[in-house]
Amino acid sequence: MFYFESGVISWSSKKQPTVALSSTEAEYKGVAIVACEVVWLQKLLSDLGQLVDVHVVIYCDNIRSILLANNLIYHVRTKHIEVHYHFIREKVLAKEIDLIHVSTEDQVVDIFTKALGTDKLRKFKKMLSVLKVDLSLRGNVENSSSTN
């Protein structure tokens, strides 16, 4: 999910194109894909004449992925990861993106990818400012047909 000022402007959820051998690898690949989207959105906003001078923060619930992006300390165990996924590391080391740890309990984007219990679903909907809107077409249909 991407916020700009006070609202969500984009979100994405898709199956990763390759099989990950660990949760760290899966999360690392995920944040790399997010970093690519960040660069694309910044370019789009720039092309639209919108000055984008904000520090980008990406929230990740996998500490090892954050450590990997900050320093290749797990090189021996992660050398099989395709090079293009290390794009996130370049952005983190250039201080263009910060990867911040967020507890799994507070990872609001899970609403798009996981089955959630009622309490967690309500919590995440509130965090996203999702409102229930009651729409009824029945009254409008009856009113329009009674005027004929």
Side-chain angles (χ1 to χ4, degrees):
M1 276 181 26
F2 296 92
Y3 284 91
F4 184 70
E5 296 188 5
S6 63
V8 175
I9 61 167
S10 174
W11 70 273
S12 176
S13 176
K14 66 180 183 177
K15 187 176 168 182
Q16 288 184 354
T18 59
V19 176
L21 299 176
S22 68
S23 59
T24 297
E25 182 182 346
E27 292 284 341
Y28 187 72
K29 288 178 176 184
V31 294
I33 292 167
V34 170
C36 292
E37 186 78 6
V38 164
V39 170
W40 182 83
L41 282 170
Q42 287 175 326
K43 178 68 175 146
L44 175 66
L45 290 169
S46 175
D47 288 350
L48 294 172
Q50 180 67 45
L51 177 63
V52 181
D53 189 25
V54 295
H55 190 76
V56 176
V57 175
I58 298 174
Y59 294 99
C60 179
D61 61 1
N62 187 290
I63 294 173
R64 290 183 184 222
S65 295
I66 295 169
L67 292 173
L68 180 59
N70 282 290
N71 184 356
L72 283 175
I73 57 175
Y74 299 105
H75 176 69
V76 173
R77 297 171 67 191
T78 59
K79 64 183 178 181
H80 64 281
I81 298 174
E82 292 99 0
V83 174
H84 63 276
Y85 289 114
H86 294 297
F87 177 74
I88 183 63
R89 183 170 188 264
E90 291 177 18
K91 293 297 179 184
V92 168
L93 294 178
K95 305 223 183 288
E96 295 175 29
I97 292 176
D98 271 342
L99 281 180
I100 304 294
H101 181 257
V102 62
S103 163
T104 302
E105 290 299 313
D106 296 322
Q107 185 63 296
V108 70
V109 295
D110 283 352
I111 199 169
F112 298 115
T113 60
K114 296 184 175 131
L116 302 172
T118 305
D119 293 338
K120 208 170 198 182
L121 182 62
R122 283 189 186 127
K123 174 184 174 181
F124 290 163
K125 284 171 61 176
K126 184 176 181 180
M127 290 171 73
L128 291 170
S129 301
V130 173
L131 304 174
K132 181 179 178 185
V133 177
D134 291 324
L135 296 176
S136 174
L137 296 178
R138 181 173 296 260
N140 293 338
V141 172
E142 288 175 7
N143 290 340
S144 64
S145 63
S146 65
T147 60
N148 291 335

